[in-house]
Amino acid sequence: MQVYKFGGASIANPVQMQQLVPIIQSAETPLIIVLSAYGKTTNALEAIALACKSHEVEEAKKLAKQLEQAHIDYALQLLSTDNYDVVFPHLNALFTELEWAIDDFNHQDFDYSYDQIVCIGELLSSRIFAAYLNQLQLSTTWIDARDLIRTDTTFRDAKVDWKQTEKQVLELCMPAMQNTIVLTQGFIGATSDNASVTLGREGSDYTAAILASILNASAVSIWKDVEGLLNADPKQFKATQKIELISYSEVIEMAFYGAQVIHPKTIKPLQNKNIPLHVKCFLNPELKGTTIQNDVLQIQYPPIIVLKKEQVLLQVTTRDFSFITEDNLSKLYQVFHQLRIKINLIQNAAISFIACIDHKEDQIEAIIAALETDYKISRNENAHLLTIRHYDNSIIDELTKDTVCLLQQKTRSTIQLVLQAV
Ligand code: ASP
Ligand code: MG
C-alpha cells in the first residue's frame, strides 16, 4: 500500500484540486491520502486564534465567516447540487466547531485554544476532497485523523502515543483500505480526552510517515509544487541543483539546520521501517522527483546550502566570573528547554555562552528575565545562519562575500557561519 500526501499548494483552488485526479487514478492501491488545509487556510486560522488572544472576538468571528464562505464557494465549484447537499451538513458541523472554539477561547491556555481553532482547516478541505472523489466514482472513505492519531497534551507540538495510534489506525484504516481510497487529514490528532491537537506547523508530512510506518507502506509520496529536493532554496540562491537520490540521514541534517524541505519528524518513522519517501511534483507528475531512502552507496552530493534568516546571537556571561562548565551549562540549557527555545548554534568560552536563536522578541525577553540575576546578556541582531554541507573553499568564499562573520564552526562535512551583511 501507498501513502500520498498533498500539501496546501496542491489544492490551493478547485482547479488545482481537479488536477490531482489523474495522479490518484494512476496510483497503486491500496492508497491512503493525507491532505493539508488548502492554500493559506492555516495562516488564516492562526490569525483567528491571535484575534481571540487580543480579545478581538468580533474580528475573530468576522474572519471565521470569511473562511467559511471561501470553503462553501470552493465546494460549490466542484460538486453537483446533490453531492453538495450531502457534504454541506459536515462542513456546517465544522463551522459550528470553529465558532465554539472561538466562544470557548481560554486565555489561560493559548496553545490548547489555538489547536481547537487551527485543526479545522484540514477537516474542511478533506471533506470537500472526499466528496469530490466520490462524485467521480473514485470510492473514498473519509476518516477523522483525530480518531487515528492519539497524542499527549503538548498542544501545538503534540507527541504521538504510538501504541494507541497503531491500534486505532489498524482498526479504522485496514477495513476501509480494502476497497476504497482512505482520505484523512495531516497535521492533526487528539488527546485521550478527545481534545484536538496539532503536530506543529507543516506537520502533514509527519502524519503521512506515521500512517505509512504503522501500515507498512511500500512508499510515501509527498506531492509538492517543486520538481524535487534542491540543494538550496531557489528563492535565496540562483544556481540550485536537483538531487535525485538522497539518504534519510542527509535529509535529517538538512531539516535540522533549517531547510524547509520536509517536516523534520517525518524521516524517523520511515527510516525505522525502511520505507522510501518520494518527493514529486504535482504540476508535472511525469518528472522523476527525488527519492529519500536508506544510506545509499557513496552518493556524491553537491554542496547543500541552508540559510536561516533573522537570527540573534546571544552572549550570556556569568556575573560572578564562574566558568561555563557543567553547572552553568545545565542551568542554561534548562532555561532554554523550559522556554521551548531551540538553539541553532552553540559555542562556549571560559565565562560566556553564545547561542544563535531565531529572533523572537518575546522569547529573548523571557530569557533575559530568567537569567539576568546571574548573567549579563548582550546580543547581536540582524544576523543569518549559513550552513553548508559538503562544502569546498570556493563556495564558502562565494557565499560569505560582503558579510562579517560573527561565529564559525566547521567539521569535515559541515560548516556553519553566523553572518551579518556589511
Ligand atoms: N496546514 C498545516 C500548515 O500549514 C500543516 C501542513 O500543511 O503540513 O502548517
Ligand atoms: Mg502546508
Side-chain angles (χ1 to χ4, degrees):
M1 60 85 49
Q2 304 250 352
V3 180
Y4 277 12
K5 181 253 164 170
F6 293 107
S10 71
I11 51 165
N13 53 59
V15 173
Q16 199 65 72
M17 186 179 268
Q18 283 170 326
Q19 285 167 2
L20 302 183
V21 172
I23 296 178
I24 292 167
Q25 277 167 329
S26 52
E28 256 174 52
T29 51
L31 176 68
I32 293 199
I33 298 175
V34 173
L35 200 67
S36 290
Y38 82 71
K40 298 283 172 219
T41 303
T42 306
N43 292 356
L45 288 161
E46 213 164 64
I48 294 174
L50 290 172
C52 292
K53 189 181 179 188
S54 342
H55 298 274
E56 291 162 10
V57 180
E58 284 319 306
E59 174 67 11
K61 291 207 166 164
K62 194 180 103 198
L63 294 172
K65 279 278 166 254
Q66 286 168 2
L67 204 69
E68 289 176 20
Q69 192 55 49
H71 280 84
I72 289 175
D73 294 343
Y74 193 121
L76 282 170
Q77 280 193 54
L78 289 170
L79 302 175
S80 68
T81 318
D82 287 356
N83 288 319
Y84 179 78
D85 288 346
V86 174
V87 82
F88 182 73
H90 296 301
L91 299 180
N92 209 26
L94 293 166
F95 299 153
T96 308
E97 199 176 324
L98 176 58
E99 280 152 35
W100 283 349
I102 294 172
D103 287 332
D104 293 348
F105 189 87
N106 177 355
H107 286 271
Q108 263 57 58
D109 194 348
F110 176 71
D111 289 352
Y112 163 83
S113 294
Y114 172 104
D115 278 358
Q116 310 319 302
I117 291 171
V118 167
C119 72
I120 301 293
E122 346 299 277
L123 291 161
L124 287 168
S125 64
S126 62
R127 276 291 189 191
I128 297 171
F129 198 28
Y132 180 56
L133 293 176
N134 279 315
Q135 170 171 294
L136 299 175
Q137 315 298 328
L138 286 163
S139 175
T140 300
T141 307
W142 180 91
I143 298 182
D144 190 327
R146 296 173 298 183
D147 296 329
L148 299 174
I149 311 289
R150 167 70 63 81
T151 70
D152 71 357
T153 56
T154 317
F155 294 101
R156 296 182 72 181
D157 187 22
K159 307 288 174 294
V160 173
D161 171 347
W162 279 90
K163 219 167 140 211
Q164 188 58 28
T165 299
E166 173 162 11
K167 187 164 164 272
Q168 296 177 165
V169 168
L170 293 177
E171 234 167 67
L172 285 172
C173 294
M174 277 305 217
M177 260 163 49
Q178 300 315 314
N179 40 29
T180 67
I181 296 168
V182 168
L183 176 56
T184 191
Q185 309 78 45
F187 177 55
I188 68 172
T191 67
S192 55
D193 295 334
N194 279 324
S196 303
V197 297
T198 64
L199 306 173
R201 286 302 306 264
E202 305 304 326
S204 297
D205 297 346
Y206 182 37
T207 306
I210 296 167
L211 298 178
S213 157
I214 291 172
L215 293 163
N216 291 312
S218 55
V220 174
S221 300
I222 293 186
W223 294 86
K224 293 170 84 82
D225 54 2
V226 290
E227 51 175 317
L229 287 197
L230 304 177
N231 70 324
D233 183 344
K235 288 186 210 112
Q236 295 170 330
F237 298 96
K238 270 178 265 140
T240 53
Q241 299 174 43
K242 200 191 95 182
I243 302 172
E244 286 201 350
L245 192 59
I246 186 167
S247 69
Y248 296 121
S249 41
E250 191 63 39
V251 172
I252 286 186
E253 296 285 340
M254 284 171 78
F256 177 79
Y257 293 122
Q260 284 169 346
V261 281
I262 278 164
H263 191 276
K265 289 186 188 162
T266 309
I267 300 298
K268 187 167 176 263
L270 298 179
Q271 195 260 338
N272 290 347
K273 291 256 177 112
N274 203 3
I275 300 169
L277 172 62
H278 304 298
V279 179
K280 297 273 292 174
C281 181
F282 63 79
L283 300 167
N284 189 352
E286 302 304 318
L287 289 179
K288 200 155 175 278
T290 296
T291 297
I292 304 165
Q293 60 175 57
N294 242 331
D295 277 319
V296 204
L297 285 175
Q298 292 307 321
I299 307 179
Q300 279 297 327
Y301 293 116
I304 293 180
I305 305 160
V306 183
L307 184 67
K308 251 173 129 28
K309 292 189 173 163
E310 288 174 48
Q311 300 293 297
V312 178
L313 207 55
L314 284 186
Q315 174 148 359
V316 181
T317 308
T318 53
R319 288 191 189 276
D320 62 0
F321 276 61
S322 61
F323 286 132
I324 298 281
T325 46
E326 295 80 346
D327 246 13
N328 275 309
L329 279 175
S330 79
K331 235 193 278 174
L332 291 166
Y333 277 114
Q334 206 160 1
V335 168
F336 280 91
H337 174 68
Q338 274 160 2
L339 298 172
R340 283 167 64 179
I341 299 171
K342 182 173 172 279
I343 305 180
N344 299 324
L345 189 73
I346 299 174
Q347 177 128 322
N348 69 293
I351 58 166
S352 61
F353 171 89
I354 298 171
C356 178
I357 60 172
D358 295 347
H359 192 167
K360 292 187 185 143
E361 209 45 48
D362 52 335
Q363 293 192 335
I364 296 176
E365 278 164 26
I367 296 173
I368 294 176
L371 295 176
E372 79 187 332
T373 334
D374 299 328
Y375 305 88
K376 249 188 347 232
I377 297 153
S378 62
R379 57 158 119 173
N380 252 302
E381 293 175 8
N382 301 322
H384 50 268
L385 173 62
L386 175 69
T387 304
I388 314 173
R389 308 228 338 125
H390 317 291
Y391 60 85
D392 59 38
N393 289 336
S394 68
I395 187 126
I396 299 173
D397 291 345
E398 187 191 321
L399 297 181
T400 56
K401 252 192 337 235
D402 306 324
T403 60
V404 184
C405 179
L406 304 177
L407 179 64
Q408 168 177 334
Q409 279 178 12
K410 198 169 175 184
T411 67
R412 269 186 291 175
S413 63
T414 308
I415 180 164
Q416 292 198 279
L417 305 120
V418 181
L419 302 167
Q420 263 175 346
V422 283

